[in-house]
Amino acid sequence: MHAMQSMASLDLNLLVALDALLEERSVSGAARRLLLTESAVSRALGRIRRAMDDPVLVRAGHRMVPTPRALAVQVEVHALVERAHAVFTPVREPDLATLTRTFTILASDALTTAIGVDLLDRLTRDAPGARVRFLPEPYATDDLLRDGTADLEIGEIDSTPPEIHIEVLAEEQALAVVRSGHPLARGRLTPERLAAARHVTASRRGRFAGPLDEALAARGLRRTVAVSVPSHSAALLLVAGSDLVGLVPARLGRGLLTSLGLVALDIGLDLPTLTIAQAWHPRNEADAPHRWLRGHVRDTIRHALALDPP
């Protein structure tokens, strides 16, 4: 307890004064170095002597010389002062060429597919030693940003602790998607025709209903959801091989539609937009590599969304 009380009452500015005194071996020299008066440095030396229970510097003719105890701690004192300065020095931009760090991003498989290649290309150009680990979207009870498991979450941010920073990047619309040659691809897609079809939903929580069901219910309609799968990719593969109808983001889903030869259809209902955002914990707010990552994620998503929908 006595040691803790001593630490609590210790003025750490004395370390700076001690470092200067041991370097200059002169009260006047230390005063000039610290931009203080000689009397202020003399008072600091008195406090240092009492704290260390050692004379620290003693007169030897016209000069002062350090005691054995002072010589023994000089290197350590200087290192402590240098480290303290480093703590309070503004963070410089990272040396991206030598950056070796793995960033963990929470994202749906649809978003990973939509931006993964472009994002990795952008990061690799700046920092070839950086790596990205994509993890599935968390459950509502998971706090992966808070506990440090993930650096960033991107997509629809629907459940986060209150301290989490959220930056909205853009809004997306949902489109219906069917295989080429599907009956719904011929003629005008009406709410009645859409509701009469069999559907597939993508939900990590196994949900069968969503905003589309609410929009149909407002018109007295109800659709049949035949299957719920945990990923958008699985849902689109089922759509490609059957008469099932799925949903896809208008622009971010473009790459999967092209690769699977699927057809996107305007739903013609007033569905809420999909809010695309990125979220991170305050601990990473000022971290320079994390700011660099967020900037590239922002640019990559906005670039993908700027492209014309299919």
Side-chain angles (χ1 to χ4, degrees), residues 71-273:
L71 286 173
V73 301
Q74 183 174 6
V75 173
E76 183 179 0
V77 167
H78 184 70
L80 287 171
V81 172
E82 288 293 308
R83 281 155 53 192
H85 280 305
V87 167
F88 294 103
T89 299
V91 178
R92 295 178 296 180
E93 290 302 309
D95 181 3
L96 297 176
T98 61
L99 180 67
T100 55
R101 181 162 165 180
T102 298
F103 296 100
T104 300
I105 300 175
L106 306 172
S108 69
D109 64 313
L111 193 50
T112 300
T113 303
I115 70 166
V117 172
D118 188 17
L119 177 62
L120 191 59
D121 284 346
R122 290 169 184 257
L123 297 182
T124 302
R125 282 197 296 268
D126 289 348
R131 301 190 303 175
V132 178
R133 176 192 295 114
F134 282 102
L135 294 180
E137 298 168 292
Y139 290 102
T141 56
D142 294 337
D143 286 335
L144 302 186
L145 294 177
R146 175 182 277 179
D147 68 20
T149 300
D151 296 289
L152 199 64
E153 181 179 356
I154 57 177
E156 289 190 273
I157 313 296
D158 56 5
S159 178
T160 60
E163 75 272 16
I164 296 299
H165 292 300
I166 298 177
E167 178 189 6
V168 174
L169 301 175
E171 303 289 335
E172 260 280 59
Q173 296 288 341
L175 297 175
V177 59
V178 296
R179 64 171 176 80
S180 178
H182 192 284
L184 288 185
R186 297 189 295 270
R188 187 171 71 90
L189 179 62
T190 64
E192 289 76 15
R193 294 182 70 200
L194 183 63
R198 288 164 58 84
H199 293 251
V200 54
T201 65
S203 169
R204 287 196 67 227
R205 300 173 179 87
R207 293 173 178 165
F208 283 90
L212 177 56
D213 298 276
E214 297 173 9
L216 289 172
R219 292 172 173 257
L221 300 171
R222 182 177 178 180
R223 68 172 176 160
T224 297
V225 178
V227 59
S228 173
V229 294
S231 73
H232 292 85
S233 299
L236 293 182
L237 285 171
L238 289 179
V239 168
S242 70
D243 280 343
L244 291 169
V245 179
L247 291 177
V248 68
R251 291 164 291 180
L252 291 175
R254 199 164 121 266
L256 279 173
L257 297 189
T258 301
S259 62
L260 294 174
L262 301 178
V263 178
L265 306 172
D266 186 358
I267 294 173
L269 293 170
D270 187 19
L271 295 183
T273 58

Side-chain angles (χ1 to χ4, degrees), residues 6-8 10 19 25 32 79 95 109-110 125 187-188 229-230 250 264 288:
S6 298
M7 285 298 296
L10 179 62
D19 181 51
R25 302 190 181 184
R32 286 192 298 271
D95 181 3
D109 64 313
R125 282 197 296 268
R188 187 171 71 90
V229 294

